[in-house]
Amino acid sequence: MTEARGSAGLTSTTHERHAPGTPCWVSLMVHGMTATQEFYHALFGWEFQPGPQPLGPYVRALLNGYEVAGIGQLPLDRHLPIAWTPYLGSDDVDATAEQVRSCGGTVGVGPLDAAEAGRLAIACDPMGAVFGIWQAADHLGTGLAGVPGTPVWNELITYDTASVATFYRTVFGYAEEPVVSPDFDYVTLHTEGRPVAGIHGVGHDLPRDRGAHWMTYFQVSDADKTADRVVELGGHVVRAQCNTALGRMITVADPEGATFSVVSPLG
């Protein structure tokens, strides 16, 4: 992560359709839904309500009455990585899915309807990182930002930015702002003049057991205390704390192994 992006620290609610390419939702597919809900309730204070179930049991996490994330049940016959997946907005998910294919990516699920909520697809970029595509109808996406327990940033961790930046620019129309540094391979993705996501090339530091992947950052009041709480609840720390322009950041994993980062303002 590099420069501060988005509206961290500014409480806001969202009642409008997200611009194409904007991360508008994050979702987690797990084996044990009950235990996972208990973990995130204890960690972030999330409450849960049933959501549309085109792929099986699914709940939406609520914070202060606003929807902030989703958790679904993995089918027993699917041995897929347990990971948080960002959904990128689209005005036409079918057209976006075709563009993904034409640019060297793959579409693994959909496009399909999620009841009256909207239409979705799940895809991989050419390096294998999984992301969702969301065409909103009744469900516009994440409804709250800028408070602890809400997504604050999404970042693609990949081998190098050159290998995938063209893919995302072509599919979603991003403008790019690269970091000019021989030692730091990073591109910020912009939509409608504002930063919405990043691509971080880490070379041979890319985890072999995960490969290229998207990382979701959640805002918290105190990253160190939150990481301690993760461990108390059965998760673990993946990467020790570091200070970034967005705040103090620690990467952790929940009890099923889903990795995410927590960020708190620098004091």
Side-chain angles (χ1 to χ4, degrees), residues 89-101 107 133 171-172:
S90 171
D91 288 336
D92 185 335
V93 68
D94 294 81
T96 301
E98 282 302 313
Q99 189 78 322
V100 165
R101 295 187 185 98
V107 177
I133 308 166
V171 173
F172 292 104

Side-chain angles (χ1 to χ4, degrees), residues 1-64:
M1 183 187 298
T2 178
E3 295 303 318
R5 304 172 181 81
S7 57
L10 300 177
T11 303
S12 62
T13 56
T14 300
H15 301 287
E16 298 179 354
R17 187 182 301 269
H18 293 267
T22 304
C24 57
W25 188 245
V26 289
S27 193
L28 175 64
M29 302 295 287
V30 297
H31 296 294
M33 282 190 65
T34 299
T36 298
Q37 290 174 69
E38 291 173 351
F39 172 85
Y40 286 100
H41 171 73
L43 187 67
F44 292 142
W46 290 351
E47 304 291 342
F48 299 92
Q49 68 179 17
Q53 303 185 12
L55 304 178
Y58 190 83
V59 294
R60 291 175 180 163
L62 304 180
L63 187 64
N64 300 335

Side-chain angles (χ1 to χ4, degrees), residues 43-255:
L43 187 67
F44 292 142
W46 290 351
E47 304 291 342
F48 299 92
Q49 68 179 17
Q53 303 185 12
L55 304 178
Y58 190 83
V59 294
R60 291 175 180 163
L62 304 180
L63 187 64
N64 300 335
Y66 294 95
E67 296 173 347
V68 295
I71 297 175
Q73 175 79 56
L74 272 174
L76 293 177
D77 59 346
R78 291 193 181 184
H79 301 283
L80 300 174
I82 308 297
W84 281 101
T85 300
Y87 280 73
L88 309 178
S90 171
D91 288 336
D92 185 335
V93 68
D94 294 81
T96 301
E98 282 302 313
Q99 189 78 322
V100 165
R101 295 187 185 98
S102 69
C103 292
T106 59
V107 177
V109 176
L112 55 84
D113 290 324
E116 303 300 318
R119 190 163 171 80
L120 67 88
I122 300 174
C124 294
D125 69 25
M127 292 294 290
V130 177
F131 62 94
I133 308 166
W134 181 253
Q135 180 182 338
D138 289 349
H139 177 60
L140 299 180
T142 305
L144 183 67
V147 299
T150 60
V152 69
W153 187 245
N154 285 278
E155 190 168 276
L156 172 63
I157 313 299
T158 190
Y159 182 78
D160 61 59
T161 59
S163 62
V164 293
T166 299
F167 169 85
Y168 286 98
R169 180 176 66 248
T170 303
V171 173
F172 292 104
Y174 295 122
E176 299 173 8
E177 181 184 349
V179 172
V180 181
S181 170
D183 302 317
F184 192 59
D185 184 15
Y186 198 97
V187 171
T188 305
L189 304 176
H190 291 247
T191 293
E192 296 186 343
R194 64 185 184 90
V196 295
I199 303 176
H200 189 187
V202 298
H204 294 294
D205 289 334
L206 189 68
R208 292 186 178 182
D209 59 337
R210 294 196 64 194
H213 61 278
W214 279 88
M215 175 73 71
T216 296
Y217 294 76
F218 292 97
Q219 185 170 338
V220 296
S221 298
D222 186 315
D224 295 273
K225 290 182 179 179
T226 302
D228 290 342
R229 184 63 171 148
V230 166
V231 175
E232 291 173 1
L233 294 169
H236 64 275
V237 174
V238 175
R239 189 168 64 246
Q241 71 277 2
C242 64
N243 292 336
T244 73
L246 189 61
R248 188 166 178 81
M249 184 270 288
I250 304 176
T251 301
V252 296
D254 69 20

